[in-house]
Amino acid sequence: MSPTWTQATVHTFDPTAGSGSVITDSGLVIAFDTRAWAAGPLRTMRTGQRVRIAVDDEHAPTAIAAITLSTFPPVG
């Protein structure tokens, strides 16, 4: 099953760990880990930045498979 892409806003980001959290447009806070960060092309992010997230359909809405800028095309 392929992931569902949606937009969100960066809530927290730890560049050392490559993890953080986003807030979806519906207000849900979802954490992302190093794997989701590594799956996208980004080098860094800042709080408040708009991003596009790939939500793992099997574990929706709590598992982010990839994260990228909202203006970039979906990854993979």
Short mmCIF file of all heavy atoms in Angstrom, two decimals:
data_model
loop_
_atom_site.label_atom_id
_atom_site.label_comp_id
_atom_site.label_asym_id
_atom_site.label_seq_id
_atom_site.Cartn_x
_atom_site.Cartn_y
_atom_site.Cartn_z
N MET A 1 0.83 -1.18 0.00
CA MET A 1 0.00 0.00 0.00
C MET A 1 0.89 1.25 0.00
O MET A 1 1.84 1.34 0.76
CB MET A 1 -0.86 -0.03 1.27
CG MET A 1 -2.23 0.51 1.06
SD MET A 1 -3.19 0.51 2.58
CE MET A 1 -4.02 -1.04 2.43
N SER A 2 0.59 2.22 -0.82
CA SER A 2 1.39 3.44 -0.87
C SER A 2 0.91 4.42 0.19
O SER A 2 -0.26 4.41 0.58
CB SER A 2 1.32 4.06 -2.26
OG SER A 2 0.00 4.44 -2.53
N PRO A 3 1.80 5.30 0.66
CA PRO A 3 1.42 6.26 1.69
C PRO A 3 0.51 7.35 1.13
O PRO A 3 0.47 7.59 -0.07
CB PRO A 3 2.75 6.83 2.15
CG PRO A 3 3.68 6.64 1.01
CD PRO A 3 3.21 5.39 0.30
N THR A 4 -0.20 8.01 2.02
CA THR A 4 -1.04 9.13 1.67
C THR A 4 -0.27 10.40 2.00
O THR A 4 0.24 10.56 3.11
CB THR A 4 -2.34 9.10 2.50
OG1 THR A 4 -3.04 7.90 2.22
CG2 THR A 4 -3.22 10.29 2.18
N TRP A 5 -0.16 11.33 1.04
CA TRP A 5 0.55 12.58 1.25
C TRP A 5 -0.42 13.66 1.71
O TRP A 5 -1.51 13.79 1.18
CB TRP A 5 1.24 13.01 -0.03
CG TRP A 5 2.44 12.17 -0.33
CD1 TRP A 5 2.46 11.02 -1.07
CD2 TRP A 5 3.77 12.37 0.13
NE1 TRP A 5 3.74 10.51 -1.10
CE2 TRP A 5 4.56 11.33 -0.37
CE3 TRP A 5 4.38 13.35 0.92
CZ2 TRP A 5 5.92 11.23 -0.11
CZ3 TRP A 5 5.74 13.25 1.17
CH2 TRP A 5 6.49 12.20 0.67
N THR A 6 -0.01 14.42 2.71
CA THR A 6 -0.81 15.52 3.22
C THR A 6 0.12 16.63 3.71
O THR A 6 1.31 16.40 3.90
CB THR A 6 -1.75 15.04 4.36
OG1 THR A 6 -2.65 16.08 4.69
CG2 THR A 6 -0.98 14.60 5.58
N GLN A 7 -0.42 17.80 3.91
CA GLN A 7 0.40 18.91 4.38
C GLN A 7 0.28 19.08 5.88
O GLN A 7 -0.74 18.72 6.48
CB GLN A 7 0.01 20.20 3.66
CG GLN A 7 0.39 20.16 2.20
CD GLN A 7 0.32 21.53 1.56
OE1 GLN A 7 0.39 22.55 2.23
NE2 GLN A 7 0.19 21.54 0.24
N ALA A 8 1.34 19.64 6.47
CA ALA A 8 1.38 19.87 7.91
C ALA A 8 2.34 21.03 8.17
O ALA A 8 2.95 21.57 7.25
CB ALA A 8 1.85 18.61 8.63
N THR A 9 2.47 21.39 9.44
CA THR A 9 3.38 22.46 9.86
C THR A 9 4.36 21.88 10.87
O THR A 9 3.96 21.13 11.77
CB THR A 9 2.58 23.61 10.50
OG1 THR A 9 1.62 24.09 9.56
CG2 THR A 9 3.48 24.75 10.93
N VAL A 10 5.64 22.24 10.75
CA VAL A 10 6.66 21.75 11.69
C VAL A 10 6.35 22.30 13.07
O VAL A 10 6.19 23.51 13.26
CB VAL A 10 8.08 22.17 11.25
CG1 VAL A 10 9.11 21.71 12.27
CG2 VAL A 10 8.40 21.61 9.88
N HIS A 11 6.27 21.40 14.04
CA HIS A 11 6.02 21.76 15.43
C HIS A 11 7.35 21.80 16.19
O HIS A 11 7.64 22.77 16.88
CB HIS A 11 5.04 20.76 16.04
CG HIS A 11 4.67 21.05 17.45
ND1 HIS A 11 5.02 20.22 18.48
CD2 HIS A 11 3.98 22.08 18.00
CE1 HIS A 11 4.56 20.72 19.61
NE2 HIS A 11 3.93 21.85 19.34
N THR A 12 8.14 20.74 16.07
CA THR A 12 9.45 20.67 16.69
C THR A 12 10.40 19.98 15.71
O THR A 12 9.98 19.20 14.87
CB THR A 12 9.45 19.86 18.00
OG1 THR A 12 9.09 18.50 17.71
CG2 THR A 12 8.49 20.44 19.02
N PHE A 13 11.70 20.28 15.84
CA PHE A 13 12.70 19.59 15.04
C PHE A 13 14.03 19.60 15.76
O PHE A 13 14.49 20.66 16.21
CB PHE A 13 12.86 20.22 13.65
CG PHE A 13 13.90 19.55 12.82
CD1 PHE A 13 13.77 18.23 12.44
CD2 PHE A 13 15.05 20.23 12.43
CE1 PHE A 13 14.74 17.59 11.68
CE2 PHE A 13 16.02 19.61 11.67
CZ PHE A 13 15.86 18.29 11.29
N ASP A 14 14.65 18.43 15.88
CA ASP A 14 15.98 18.28 16.47
C ASP A 14 16.91 17.87 15.35
O ASP A 14 16.92 16.70 14.93
CB ASP A 14 15.95 17.21 17.57
CG ASP A 14 17.31 16.99 18.21
OD1 ASP A 14 18.33 17.47 17.68
OD2 ASP A 14 17.35 16.32 19.25
N PRO A 15 17.73 18.81 14.84
CA PRO A 15 18.60 18.49 13.71
C PRO A 15 19.67 17.45 14.04
O PRO A 15 20.10 16.72 13.16
CB PRO A 15 19.23 19.83 13.32
CG PRO A 15 19.07 20.69 14.52
CD PRO A 15 17.86 20.20 15.25
N THR A 16 20.07 17.37 15.29
CA THR A 16 21.07 16.39 15.69
C THR A 16 20.51 14.97 15.60
O THR A 16 21.16 14.06 15.11
CB THR A 16 21.56 16.66 17.13
OG1 THR A 16 22.06 18.00 17.18
CG2 THR A 16 22.65 15.69 17.53
N ALA A 17 19.27 14.80 16.06
CA ALA A 17 18.63 13.48 16.04
C ALA A 17 17.93 13.20 14.72
O ALA A 17 17.66 12.04 14.40
CB ALA A 17 17.63 13.38 17.19
N GLY A 18 17.58 14.23 13.96
CA GLY A 18 16.83 14.04 12.72
C GLY A 18 15.41 13.59 13.00
O GLY A 18 14.84 12.79 12.27
N SER A 19 14.83 14.13 14.07
CA SER A 19 13.46 13.76 14.43
C SER A 19 12.73 14.99 14.94
O SER A 19 13.33 16.03 15.20
CB SER A 19 13.47 12.67 15.50
OG SER A 19 14.10 13.16 16.68
N GLY A 20 11.43 14.87 15.08
CA GLY A 20 10.63 15.98 15.57
C GLY A 20 9.16 15.66 15.49
O GLY A 20 8.76 14.49 15.56
N SER A 21 8.36 16.70 15.30
CA SER A 21 6.91 16.50 15.20
C SER A 21 6.31 17.56 14.29
O SER A 21 6.90 18.62 14.07
CB SER A 21 6.26 16.54 16.58
OG SER A 21 6.45 17.82 17.17
N VAL A 22 5.15 17.25 13.77
CA VAL A 22 4.40 18.17 12.93
C VAL A 22 2.98 18.28 13.47
O VAL A 22 2.53 17.42 14.23
CB VAL A 22 4.35 17.71 11.45
CG1 VAL A 22 5.75 17.65 10.86
CG2 VAL A 22 3.63 16.38 11.30
N ILE A 23 2.31 19.34 13.07
CA ILE A 23 0.89 19.50 13.38
C ILE A 23 0.14 19.47 12.06
O ILE A 23 0.42 20.27 11.15
CB ILE A 23 0.61 20.84 14.09
CG1 ILE A 23 1.43 20.95 15.39
CG2 ILE A 23 -0.88 20.99 14.38
CD1 ILE A 23 1.33 22.30 16.07
N THR A 24 -0.80 18.55 11.94
CA THR A 24 -1.60 18.47 10.73
C THR A 24 -2.60 19.62 10.70
O THR A 24 -2.84 20.28 11.71
CB THR A 24 -2.36 17.13 10.64
OG1 THR A 24 -3.31 17.09 11.71
CG2 THR A 24 -1.42 15.94 10.72
N ASP A 25 -3.19 19.84 9.56
CA ASP A 25 -4.18 20.91 9.43
C ASP A 25 -5.41 20.66 10.30
O ASP A 25 -6.13 21.60 10.63
CB ASP A 25 -4.58 21.09 7.97
CG ASP A 25 -3.44 21.66 7.13
OD1 ASP A 25 -2.44 22.13 7.71
OD2 ASP A 25 -3.56 21.63 5.90
N SER A 26 -5.62 19.42 10.69
CA SER A 26 -6.75 19.11 11.58
C SER A 26 -6.36 19.22 13.05
O SER A 26 -7.17 18.95 13.93
CB SER A 26 -7.28 17.70 11.29
OG SER A 26 -6.29 16.73 11.56
N GLY A 27 -5.08 19.61 13.34
CA GLY A 27 -4.65 19.84 14.71
C GLY A 27 -3.99 18.65 15.40
O GLY A 27 -3.65 18.73 16.57
N LEU A 28 -3.79 17.57 14.68
CA LEU A 28 -3.16 16.38 15.26
C LEU A 28 -1.65 16.53 15.25
O LEU A 28 -1.06 16.85 14.22
CB LEU A 28 -3.57 15.15 14.45
CG LEU A 28 -3.05 13.79 14.92
CD1 LEU A 28 -3.63 13.45 16.28
CD2 LEU A 28 -3.43 12.73 13.91
N VAL A 29 -1.00 16.32 16.41
CA VAL A 29 0.45 16.36 16.50
C VAL A 29 0.97 14.95 16.25
O VAL A 29 0.56 14.01 16.92
CB VAL A 29 0.93 16.87 17.88
CG1 VAL A 29 2.45 16.82 17.98
CG2 VAL A 29 0.43 18.28 18.12
N ILE A 30 1.87 14.80 15.26
CA ILE A 30 2.43 13.50 14.91
C ILE A 30 3.95 13.60 14.95
O ILE A 30 4.53 14.49 14.32
CB ILE A 30 2.00 13.03 13.51
CG1 ILE A 30 0.48 13.07 13.35
CG2 ILE A 30 2.53 11.63 13.23
CD1 ILE A 30 0.01 12.77 11.93
N ALA A 31 4.58 12.69 15.67
CA ALA A 31 6.04 12.66 15.74
C ALA A 31 6.60 11.94 14.51
O ALA A 31 5.94 11.07 13.93
CB ALA A 31 6.48 11.94 17.00
N PHE A 32 7.81 12.31 14.12
CA PHE A 32 8.51 11.58 13.07
C PHE A 32 9.91 11.24 13.56
O PHE A 32 10.49 11.94 14.38
CB PHE A 32 8.56 12.35 11.74
CG PHE A 32 9.30 13.65 11.78
CD1 PHE A 32 10.67 13.70 11.53
CD2 PHE A 32 8.63 14.83 12.07
CE1 PHE A 32 11.35 14.91 11.55
CE2 PHE A 32 9.30 16.04 12.09
CZ PHE A 32 10.67 16.08 11.84
N ASP A 33 10.42 10.11 13.06
CA ASP A 33 11.73 9.64 13.52
C ASP A 33 12.78 9.81 12.42
O ASP A 33 12.51 10.36 11.35
CB ASP A 33 11.65 8.18 13.97
CG ASP A 33 11.18 7.24 12.87
OD1 ASP A 33 11.20 7.62 11.68
OD2 ASP A 33 10.78 6.12 13.20
N THR A 34 13.96 9.33 12.70
CA THR A 34 15.09 9.46 11.78
C THR A 34 14.80 8.83 10.43
O THR A 34 15.20 9.35 9.39
CB THR A 34 16.34 8.82 12.40
OG1 THR A 34 16.55 9.44 13.68
CG2 THR A 34 17.56 9.02 11.55
N ARG A 35 14.08 7.71 10.40
CA ARG A 35 13.77 7.05 9.12
C ARG A 35 12.92 7.94 8.23
O ARG A 35 13.16 8.04 7.03
CB ARG A 35 13.07 5.71 9.36
CG ARG A 35 13.99 4.64 9.91
CD ARG A 35 13.28 3.35 10.09
NE ARG A 35 12.12 3.60 10.97
CZ ARG A 35 11.19 2.74 11.24
NH1 ARG A 35 11.20 1.56 10.70
NH2 ARG A 35 10.21 3.04 12.05
N ALA A 36 11.91 8.58 8.80
CA ALA A 36 11.05 9.48 8.01
C ALA A 36 11.85 10.68 7.51
O ALA A 36 11.69 11.11 6.38
CB ALA A 36 9.87 9.94 8.85
N TRP A 37 12.73 11.19 8.36
CA TRP A 37 13.57 12.33 7.97
C TRP A 37 14.50 11.93 6.84
O TRP A 37 14.65 12.65 5.86
CB TRP A 37 14.35 12.81 9.19
CG TRP A 37 15.35 13.86 8.88
CD1 TRP A 37 16.71 13.73 8.89
CD2 TRP A 37 15.09 15.21 8.49
NE1 TRP A 37 17.30 14.91 8.53
CE2 TRP A 37 16.33 15.84 8.27
CE3 TRP A 37 13.94 15.94 8.28
CZ2 TRP A 37 16.44 17.16 7.87
CZ3 TRP A 37 14.05 17.26 7.89
CH2 TRP A 37 15.29 17.86 7.69
N ALA A 38 15.14 10.77 6.95
CA ALA A 38 16.10 10.30 5.94
C ALA A 38 15.42 9.98 4.61
O ALA A 38 16.06 10.03 3.56
CB ALA A 38 16.85 9.09 6.46
N ALA A 39 14.13 9.67 4.63
CA ALA A 39 13.41 9.31 3.40
C ALA A 39 13.14 10.52 2.50
O ALA A 39 12.85 10.36 1.33
CB ALA A 39 12.09 8.63 3.75
N GLY A 40 13.27 11.71 3.04
CA GLY A 40 13.04 12.92 2.26
C GLY A 40 14.36 13.60 1.90
O GLY A 40 15.42 13.22 2.38
N PRO A 41 14.30 14.64 1.07
CA PRO A 41 15.50 15.30 0.57
C PRO A 41 15.99 16.49 1.41
O PRO A 41 16.93 17.17 1.03
CB PRO A 41 15.08 15.78 -0.81
CG PRO A 41 13.64 16.15 -0.60
CD PRO A 41 13.11 15.10 0.35
N LEU A 42 15.36 16.76 2.54
CA LEU A 42 15.67 17.97 3.30
C LEU A 42 16.96 17.87 4.10
O LEU A 42 17.36 16.79 4.52
CB LEU A 42 14.52 18.28 4.26
CG LEU A 42 13.15 18.44 3.61
CD1 LEU A 42 12.11 18.76 4.67
CD2 LEU A 42 13.18 19.51 2.56
N ARG A 43 17.58 19.03 4.30
CA ARG A 43 18.79 19.11 5.14
C ARG A 43 18.46 19.66 6.51
O ARG A 43 19.12 19.34 7.49
CB ARG A 43 19.83 19.99 4.48
CG ARG A 43 20.38 19.40 3.22
CD ARG A 43 21.48 20.25 2.71
NE ARG A 43 21.71 19.98 1.30
CZ ARG A 43 22.63 20.56 0.59
NH1 ARG A 43 23.40 21.46 1.13
NH2 ARG A 43 22.77 20.26 -0.67
N THR A 44 17.47 20.53 6.59
CA THR A 44 17.04 21.11 7.86
C THR A 44 15.61 21.62 7.73
O THR A 44 15.06 21.66 6.62
CB THR A 44 17.99 22.25 8.31
OG1 THR A 44 17.69 22.60 9.67
CG2 THR A 44 17.87 23.46 7.41
N MET A 45 15.02 21.97 8.87
CA MET A 45 13.67 22.54 8.91
C MET A 45 13.62 23.55 10.04
O MET A 45 14.50 23.55 10.90
CB MET A 45 12.62 21.46 9.20
CG MET A 45 12.40 20.49 8.09
SD MET A 45 10.95 19.44 8.36
CE MET A 45 11.30 18.66 9.90
N ARG A 46 12.58 24.35 10.06
CA ARG A 46 12.39 25.29 11.16
C ARG A 46 10.93 25.21 11.63
O ARG A 46 10.03 24.89 10.85
CB ARG A 46 12.76 26.70 10.75
CG ARG A 46 11.95 27.23 9.61
CD ARG A 46 12.29 28.65 9.25
NE ARG A 46 11.75 29.02 7.96
CZ ARG A 46 10.48 29.15 7.66
NH1 ARG A 46 9.57 28.91 8.56
NH2 ARG A 46 10.09 29.49 6.45
N THR A 47 10.72 25.53 12.88
CA THR A 47 9.38 25.55 13.45
C THR A 47 8.50 26.50 12.65
O THR A 47 8.92 27.59 12.29
CB THR A 47 9.44 25.99 14.93
OG1 THR A 47 10.28 25.09 15.64
CG2 THR A 47 8.07 26.00 15.56
N GLY A 48 7.29 26.05 12.34
CA GLY A 48 6.34 26.86 11.58
C GLY A 48 6.40 26.65 10.08
O GLY A 48 5.54 27.14 9.36
N GLN A 49 7.39 25.93 9.61
CA GLN A 49 7.55 25.68 8.17
C GLN A 49 6.49 24.70 7.68
O GLN A 49 6.17 23.73 8.36
CB GLN A 49 8.94 25.13 7.91
CG GLN A 49 9.30 24.98 6.46
CD GLN A 49 10.77 24.64 6.30
OE1 GLN A 49 11.42 24.14 7.22
NE2 GLN A 49 11.30 24.89 5.13
N ARG A 50 5.95 24.96 6.50
CA ARG A 50 4.98 24.05 5.91
C ARG A 50 5.72 22.90 5.25
O ARG A 50 6.71 23.10 4.55
CB ARG A 50 4.12 24.77 4.86
CG ARG A 50 3.18 25.78 5.45
CD ARG A 50 2.10 25.14 6.29
NE ARG A 50 1.13 24.47 5.43
CZ ARG A 50 0.13 23.74 5.88
NH1 ARG A 50 -0.03 23.53 7.16
NH2 ARG A 50 -0.69 23.17 5.04
N VAL A 51 5.24 21.69 5.49
CA VAL A 51 5.85 20.49 4.93
C VAL A 51 4.78 19.58 4.37
O VAL A 51 3.60 19.74 4.63
CB VAL A 51 6.68 19.73 5.99
CG1 VAL A 51 7.91 20.52 6.41
CG2 VAL A 51 5.84 19.36 7.20
N ARG A 52 5.24 18.61 3.60
CA ARG A 52 4.37 17.55 3.09
C ARG A 52 4.83 16.27 3.77
O ARG A 52 6.02 15.97 3.80
CB ARG A 52 4.54 17.44 1.57
CG ARG A 52 3.62 16.43 0.93
CD ARG A 52 3.92 16.29 -0.54
NE ARG A 52 4.04 17.59 -1.20
CZ ARG A 52 3.30 17.99 -2.23
NH1 ARG A 52 2.42 17.19 -2.74
NH2 ARG A 52 3.47 19.17 -2.77
N ILE A 53 3.89 15.52 4.31
CA ILE A 53 4.23 14.26 4.99
C ILE A 53 3.54 13.09 4.31
O ILE A 53 2.43 13.22 3.80
CB ILE A 53 3.84 14.29 6.49
CG1 ILE A 53 2.35 14.55 6.69
CG2 ILE A 53 4.70 15.30 7.24
CD1 ILE A 53 1.87 14.41 8.12
N ALA A 54 4.25 11.98 4.28
CA ALA A 54 3.67 10.73 3.78
C ALA A 54 3.25 9.94 5.00
O ALA A 54 4.09 9.56 5.82
CB ALA A 54 4.70 9.95 2.97
N VAL A 55 1.96 9.74 5.14
CA VAL A 55 1.42 9.00 6.28
C VAL A 55 1.26 7.55 5.87
O VAL A 55 0.62 7.24 4.87
CB VAL A 55 0.08 9.60 6.75
CG1 VAL A 55 -0.48 8.82 7.92
CG2 VAL A 55 0.24 11.06 7.12
N ASP A 56 1.85 6.67 6.65
CA ASP A 56 1.76 5.23 6.41
C ASP A 56 0.31 4.79 6.59
O ASP A 56 -0.23 4.85 7.68
CB ASP A 56 2.68 4.52 7.40
CG ASP A 56 2.68 3.02 7.25
OD1 ASP A 56 1.85 2.47 6.51
OD2 ASP A 56 3.53 2.37 7.90
N ASP A 57 -0.33 4.40 5.49
CA ASP A 57 -1.75 4.03 5.54
C ASP A 57 -2.06 2.95 6.56
O ASP A 57 -3.11 2.96 7.19
CB ASP A 57 -2.23 3.57 4.16
CG ASP A 57 -2.34 4.71 3.18
OD1 ASP A 57 -2.51 5.86 3.63
OD2 ASP A 57 -2.25 4.47 1.97
N GLU A 58 -1.15 2.02 6.74
CA GLU A 58 -1.39 0.92 7.68
C GLU A 58 -1.44 1.41 9.12
O GLU A 58 -2.15 0.86 9.94
CB GLU A 58 -0.27 -0.12 7.54
CG GLU A 58 -0.48 -1.35 8.39
CD GLU A 58 0.60 -2.38 8.18
OE1 GLU A 58 1.26 -2.35 7.12
OE2 GLU A 58 0.80 -3.20 9.08
N HIS A 59 -0.69 2.46 9.43
CA HIS A 59 -0.64 2.98 10.79
C HIS A 59 -1.20 4.39 10.91
O HIS A 59 -0.94 5.09 11.88
CB HIS A 59 0.81 2.95 11.30
CG HIS A 59 1.39 1.58 11.31
ND1 HIS A 59 2.24 1.14 10.32
CD2 HIS A 59 1.21 0.53 12.15
CE1 HIS A 59 2.58 -0.11 10.57
NE2 HIS A 59 1.97 -0.50 11.67
N ALA A 60 -1.94 4.83 9.91
CA ALA A 60 -2.50 6.19 9.90
C ALA A 60 -3.38 6.40 11.12
O ALA A 60 -4.04 5.46 11.56
CB ALA A 60 -3.29 6.41 8.62
N PRO A 61 -3.41 7.59 11.66
CA PRO A 61 -2.67 8.76 11.22
C PRO A 61 -1.41 9.01 12.04
O PRO A 61 -0.97 10.14 12.16
CB PRO A 61 -3.69 9.87 11.46
CG PRO A 61 -4.36 9.46 12.72
CD PRO A 61 -4.42 7.94 12.66
N THR A 62 -0.83 7.99 12.64
CA THR A 62 0.24 8.22 13.60
C THR A 62 1.64 7.88 13.12
O THR A 62 2.59 8.04 13.88
CB THR A 62 -0.03 7.43 14.89
OG1 THR A 62 -0.11 6.05 14.57
CG2 THR A 62 -1.32 7.89 15.55
N ALA A 63 1.83 7.40 11.92
CA ALA A 63 3.17 7.02 11.46
C ALA A 63 3.53 7.77 10.18
O ALA A 63 2.89 7.61 9.15
CB ALA A 63 3.25 5.52 11.22
N ILE A 64 4.57 8.59 10.26
CA ILE A 64 5.03 9.33 9.10
C ILE A 64 6.12 8.53 8.42
O ILE A 64 7.11 8.13 9.05
CB ILE A 64 5.56 10.72 9.51
CG1 ILE A 64 4.41 11.54 10.10
CG2 ILE A 64 6.19 11.44 8.32
CD1 ILE A 64 4.83 12.89 10.64
N ALA A 65 5.94 8.27 7.12
CA ALA A 65 6.91 7.49 6.36
C ALA A 65 7.99 8.36 5.74
O ALA A 65 9.12 7.92 5.54
CB ALA A 65 6.21 6.68 5.28
N ALA A 66 7.66 9.63 5.42
CA ALA A 66 8.62 10.56 4.81
C ALA A 66 8.13 11.98 5.04
O ALA A 66 6.94 12.21 5.25
CB ALA A 66 8.77 10.29 3.32
N ILE A 67 9.08 12.91 5.00
CA ILE A 67 8.74 14.32 5.18
C ILE A 67 9.57 15.15 4.20
O ILE A 67 10.74 14.86 3.98
CB ILE A 67 8.97 14.76 6.64
CG1 ILE A 67 8.47 16.17 6.88
CG2 ILE A 67 10.41 14.59 7.05
CD1 ILE A 67 8.36 16.53 8.35
N THR A 68 8.93 16.13 3.57
CA THR A 68 9.59 17.00 2.60
C THR A 68 8.91 18.36 2.62
O THR A 68 7.90 18.54 3.30
CB THR A 68 9.58 16.37 1.19
OG1 THR A 68 10.41 17.14 0.33
CG2 THR A 68 8.19 16.25 0.63
N LEU A 69 9.42 19.31 1.88
CA LEU A 69 8.77 20.61 1.80
C LEU A 69 7.46 20.50 1.04
O LEU A 69 7.33 19.68 0.13
CB LEU A 69 9.68 21.62 1.09
CG LEU A 69 10.92 22.06 1.84
CD1 LEU A 69 11.71 23.06 1.00
CD2 LEU A 69 10.58 22.66 3.19
N SER A 70 6.52 21.36 1.37
CA SER A 70 5.22 21.30 0.72
C SER A 70 5.31 21.66 -0.76
O SER A 70 4.46 21.28 -1.54
CB SER A 70 4.22 22.22 1.43
OG SER A 70 4.67 23.55 1.38
N THR A 71 6.36 22.39 -1.15
CA THR A 71 6.52 22.78 -2.55
C THR A 71 7.28 21.75 -3.37
O THR A 71 7.34 21.85 -4.60
CB THR A 71 7.26 24.12 -2.66
OG1 THR A 71 8.50 24.02 -1.97
CG2 THR A 71 6.43 25.25 -2.06
N PHE A 72 7.86 20.74 -2.72
CA PHE A 72 8.58 19.67 -3.43
C PHE A 72 7.61 18.59 -3.85
O PHE A 72 6.59 18.38 -3.20
CB PHE A 72 9.63 19.03 -2.53
CG PHE A 72 10.87 19.87 -2.29
CD1 PHE A 72 10.96 21.18 -2.69
CD2 PHE A 72 11.95 19.31 -1.63
CE1 PHE A 72 12.10 21.93 -2.46
CE2 PHE A 72 13.09 20.06 -1.38
CZ PHE A 72 13.17 21.37 -1.80
N PRO A 73 7.90 17.87 -4.91
CA PRO A 73 7.05 16.75 -5.30
C PRO A 73 7.17 15.62 -4.27
O PRO A 73 8.18 15.52 -3.58
CB PRO A 73 7.59 16.31 -6.66
CG PRO A 73 8.98 16.84 -6.70
CD PRO A 73 9.02 18.06 -5.84
N PRO A 74 6.14 14.78 -4.14
CA PRO A 74 6.23 13.64 -3.22
C PRO A 74 7.44 12.76 -3.52
O PRO A 74 7.83 12.61 -4.68
CB PRO A 74 4.92 12.88 -3.48
CG PRO A 74 3.99 13.90 -4.03
CD PRO A 74 4.86 14.85 -4.83
N VAL A 75 8.00 12.20 -2.48
CA VAL A 75 9.17 11.33 -2.60
C VAL A 75 8.73 9.90 -2.84
O VAL A 75 7.78 9.43 -2.22
CB VAL A 75 10.00 11.39 -1.29
CG1 VAL A 75 11.23 10.50 -1.40
CG2 VAL A 75 10.39 12.81 -0.97
N GLY A 76 9.44 9.20 -3.71
CA GLY A 76 9.19 7.76 -3.93
C GLY A 76 7.87 7.50 -4.47
O GLY A 76 7.10 6.76 -4.48
#
